Amino acid sequence: MTQAKLSIGTFENGFARLPDRFFSRLVPEPVSSPRLLLLNAVLAEELGLSTGNVPPDALAHVFSGNVMPEGAEPLASVYAGHQFGNFVPQLGDGRAILLGEVRDLKGRLRDLQLKGSGPTPYSRRGDGRAALGPVLREYLISEAMHALGIPTTRALAAVLTGDQVLREGYRPGAVMTRVAASHVRVGSFEYFAAREDLAAIKALADYVIDRHYPEARDAASPSLALLQGVIERQAKLIARWMMVGFVHGVMNTDNMTLSGETIDFGPCAFMDAYDPRTVFSSIDQFGRYAYGRQPGIAQWNLARLAEALVPLIDRDEAKAVELASAAISDFAPIYHEAWLAGMRAKLGWVEEDEGDRALIGDLLDSLERTGTDFTLAFRRLSETHAEAFLALVKQDELLAEWLIRYQARCAREKTSPEDRANAMRRVNPIYIPRNHHVEAALAAAVEEGDLAPFNRLHAILASPFVEVAGLEAYAEPAGPSERVFQTFCGT
Ligand code: AMP
Ligand code: MG
C-alpha cells in the first residue's frame, strides 16, 4: 500500500461520490524504479497543477502511482460494452486508475487517470500494465489530435516503471497520465442497463448532465436532452475525424465518451491514400471500424446509449422509444451538415452552393480511383497555383477537369484567392502523425532508449498547419518500402 502523499493541486472528486457499485477503490500497485520520460508542462499549467515546483524524481513517483497526490481518491470504474458488436456485460478499468478531478484555469473539471498502473478487479486475464510503445503512441496521437483542434483526451505525463511487461516478448513498462473531460462511456450506462439498475442509470445521467450538459437539466426530459446533446457532440466529433483521415480502429461502445472527446488510441492511425475501406487494426478482420464506416458505427453505438436511457425518458415505454429513436435518426442530418461544412472549409468555400455536394463527391471518387494521399490533396489545393495539385495527382485527366470546375466554383466566392488559400491552410494540415514516422519514433524509443525521434515528431505535430522548410519528409506519405499496413492494440 502506498501511503506517502505529495501536493500537486486541489482535487474536487465528484465521481467518487457516486454509489459504491460504480467503482472499486484501490491504490495502484507500486512500480520498482519510476523515471519521468515526458511531462506536458503547458497542460499542467492549464490544469493549475504545481508540477513546476516538484523535482522530476518526485513527479515520477506521482505519475507512476507510487505516491498519491494529496486529495486523490484512487478508484477503478466499472463499465460494460459492445466489443465488435458483441455485448460484454462487465469490463471496467482493467489497467487504469482514476486519481480524481481537478478544476482547470477555465473552471472546467478534468479527470486525472493513470493508465498502466497495475491490476484492478476488472483486469480479467490482463496484467494491468502498459508497455512503453503504446503509451508513447497514445501520448503522441492524442496530443496531435489536440493540435489539430479535435476534442480529445490529453496526455499529461509518461513514466518508465523500471519493470518489464510480457507482450510478444519482454518490453519496458510505462504508465501514462491521461487527462479527460470525464471517463464516462456509453458502456458505463450499458453496465447498469444490463442489470436493470434504474437508480444507478439515473445517478449517472444526473452526474453527466451536471458535468457536461447543464442546459439539459431544465429540459422537459433531461435524459432525452442528454441523449440529444451526446448525439450532437459525437456526430460533430466523427465529422472532425473524417476531415483529417483519422481511423480510430476500435470504436467499441466502451471507447465512446459521453463528453464527446476522442478516447483510447490503441490501434488508431491516419489514412494516407484516400479509401473509405481503410483499416489498420490487426484485430479488425472484417473492417467493422473502417474509415468510411465510422459515422454509421457511431450512430449504432449511440443507439445502445439510447436503449439504456429509455426507462428515464418517459414512463410510457412506447413514447420513450419513439423519442429516443427520433433522436438517433437525427444523427445522420447533424453529421452530414457538419461533414459538408468541414469539406467546404477544406475547399476554401465560405458560401454555400447547391452543387457543392456533387463536386466534393467527384473529388473523393477521383482521389480513391487514383490512390491519392488524402492530406496532401487538400493541402496542395490550398496553394495558389494549381500545378502542385496536378503534380500530386500525376496529371490525371478527370482530376484536371474537376480542377476547372473547382476553380469556377471558387471564382463565384467573394474572398480573394490569397485569403482563400490562407484560410485553407488553417484547416488542411501539412503534418499528420503518419504511421511510418510514428512507428520509427516508437521503435527508437523502445529498442534503443532514444527519445529524440519521438520528441522531434511530437514537436512537428504541435503545429500541424504551418509548413516549415526542411520538414518535407514529415509531410510526405510513406514510400513503398516504408508503408505500415497494420497497427496493434495498445495492451
Ligand atoms: P481497450 O481495447 O483498450 O479499450 O480495452 C478493453 C478492456 O480491456 C478494458 O476494460 C481495459 O481496461 C482492458 N485491458 C486492456 N489491456 C489490459 C491489460 N494489460 N490488463 C488489464 N486489462 C486490460
Ligand atoms: Mg478502452
Side-chain angles (χ1 to χ4, degrees):
M1 291 288 254
T2 50
Q3 298 298 340
K5 293 208 171 160
L6 184 98
S7 175
I8 56 163
T10 312
F11 282 83
E12 291 177 45
N13 305 327
F15 193 80
R17 302 280 79 76
L18 286 167
D20 283 347
R21 58 194 188 284
F22 279 73
F23 44 72
S24 302
R25 296 183 194 273
L26 78 172
V27 289
E29 204 169 83
V31 305
S32 58
S33 51
R35 185 159 72 82
L36 186 66
L37 277 187
L38 300 163
L39 176 70
N40 189 336
V42 176
L43 178 59
E45 191 167 315
E46 183 185 315
L47 295 171
L49 301 181
S50 58
T51 48
N53 310 324
V54 183
D57 276 358
L59 289 178
H61 279 284
V62 170
F63 294 127
S64 63
N66 278 9
V67 170
M68 280 296 98
E70 195 83 53
E73 294 178 78
L75 59 86
S77 72
V78 69
Y79 50 83
H82 276 86
Q83 301 193 306
F84 290 90
N86 304 306
F87 186 61
V88 184
Q90 195 209 289
L91 293 162
D93 295 325
R95 54 165 171 165
I97 290 182
L98 178 71
L99 297 178
E101 298 145 39
V102 296
R103 202 170 285 282
D104 69 17
L105 297 185
K106 289 193 177 139
R108 295 168 305 186
L109 281 178
R110 312 273 291 270
D111 279 11
L112 296 191
Q113 193 199 53
L114 303 180
K115 196 169 170 185
S117 51
T120 76
Y122 316 114
S123 297
R124 295 180 293 170
R125 283 179 297 278
D127 58 3
R129 294 293 176 191
L132 177 60
V135 162
L136 292 179
R137 192 179 174 82
E138 169 154 358
Y139 197 106
L140 188 73
I141 298 191
S142 63
E143 288 303 301
M145 291 291 270
H146 172 71
L148 287 164
I150 300 174
T152 176
T153 63
R154 304 287 307 276
L156 179 62
V159 170
L160 262 182
T161 60
D163 303 314
Q164 301 284 306
V165 295
L166 184 59
R167 297 295 182 258
E168 303 87 53
Y170 282 97
R171 301 275 186 278
V175 177
M176 141 120 192
T177 305
R178 175 158 74 183
V179 176
S182 81
H183 282 89
V184 179
R185 309 138 190 274
V186 169
S188 314
F189 281 88
E190 289 181 284
Y191 174 83
F192 294 111
R195 285 157 186 77
E196 298 181 34
D197 185 344
L198 223 82
I201 301 172
K202 175 82 169 66
L204 190 58
D206 286 344
Y207 176 79
V208 174
I209 288 172
D210 276 348
R211 196 160 171 186
H212 302 300
Y213 302 90
E215 66 286 353
R217 225 179 285 145
D218 305 318
S221 164
S223 35
L224 179 63
L226 167 63
L227 177 63
Q228 290 165 330
V230 179
I231 287 168
E232 183 175 343
R233 282 196 204 171
Q234 283 290 344
K236 290 179 174 170
L237 176 68
I238 308 299
R240 299 297 303 273
W241 292 0
M242 301 303 276
M243 292 303 121
V244 296
F246 179 73
V247 186
H248 182 283
V250 55
M251 286 178 72
N252 295 332
T253 56
D254 52 305
N255 292 335
M256 182 179 260
T257 59
L258 274 279
S259 67
E261 283 183 343
T262 311
I263 196 170
D264 232 315
F265 295 84
C268 69
F270 284 70
M271 172 175 73
D272 36 30
Y274 178 76
D275 183 349
R277 291 160 300 186
T278 302
V279 175
F280 294 99
S281 170
S282 61
I283 57 169
D284 192 1
Q285 290 154 0
F286 303 107
R288 178 180 170 89
Y289 299 138
Y291 170 78
R293 287 207 171 142
Q294 296 183 121
I297 287 290
Q299 188 181 30
W300 189 91
N301 289 350
L302 291 162
R304 309 287 78 78
L305 175 65
E307 284 163 5
L309 289 173
V310 155
L312 296 187
I313 289 175
D314 200 288
R315 247 175 276 168
D316 176 349
E317 195 188 327
K319 190 176 165 202
V321 169
E322 195 180 312
L323 291 167
S325 306
I328 291 297
S329 302
D330 285 343
F331 177 93
I334 299 170
Y335 169 75
H336 283 296
E337 201 187 306
W339 181 88
L340 188 56
M343 277 293 171
R344 281 198 175 106
K346 283 176 82 65
L347 291 168
W349 303 334
V350 179
E351 285 143 58
E352 297 176 11
D353 193 300
E354 248 184 286
D356 288 352
R357 210 177 269 271
L359 203 48
I360 297 164
D362 289 348
L363 170 63
L364 295 178
D365 287 347
S366 286
L367 295 183
E368 182 177 349
R369 180 177 47 78
T370 51
T372 303
D373 187 79
F374 179 70
T375 302
L376 277 186
F378 285 92
R379 187 73 189 191
R380 294 291 175 246
L381 267 179
S382 320
E383 320 275 325
T384 15
H385 307 289
E387 294 82 33
F389 178 75
L390 284 175
L392 179 75
V393 300
K394 305 191 180 62
Q395 312 292 337
D396 183 77
E397 224 168 273
L398 278 178
L399 273 166
E401 277 171 33
W402 178 88
L403 188 61
I404 293 168
R405 288 160 62 207
Y406 170 68
Q407 286 164 334
R409 166 70 181 82
C410 290
R412 292 198 294 276
E413 290 271 323
K414 288 188 197 75
T415 19
S416 71
E418 289 72 28
D419 287 350
R420 179 164 45 253
N422 284 330
M424 289 170 75
R425 280 190 285 261
R426 286 194 290 272
V427 293
N428 293 306
I430 178 77
Y431 308 115
I432 53 163
R434 293 193 182 267
N435 247 325
H436 59 302
H437 289 302
V438 174
E439 296 296 331
L442 301 194
V446 173
E447 286 155 29
E448 288 142 49
D450 179 8
L451 263 185
F454 176 93
N455 287 332
R456 183 166 165 76
L457 186 56
H458 180 238
I460 291 167
L461 295 172
S463 302
F465 301 107
V466 184
E467 193 158 5
V468 177
L471 296 184
E472 290 73 20
Y474 289 90
E476 294 292 326
S481 64
E482 306 166 303
R483 287 198 68 188
V484 176
F485 294 99
Q486 261 200 345
T487 52
F488 298 88
C489 251
T491 45

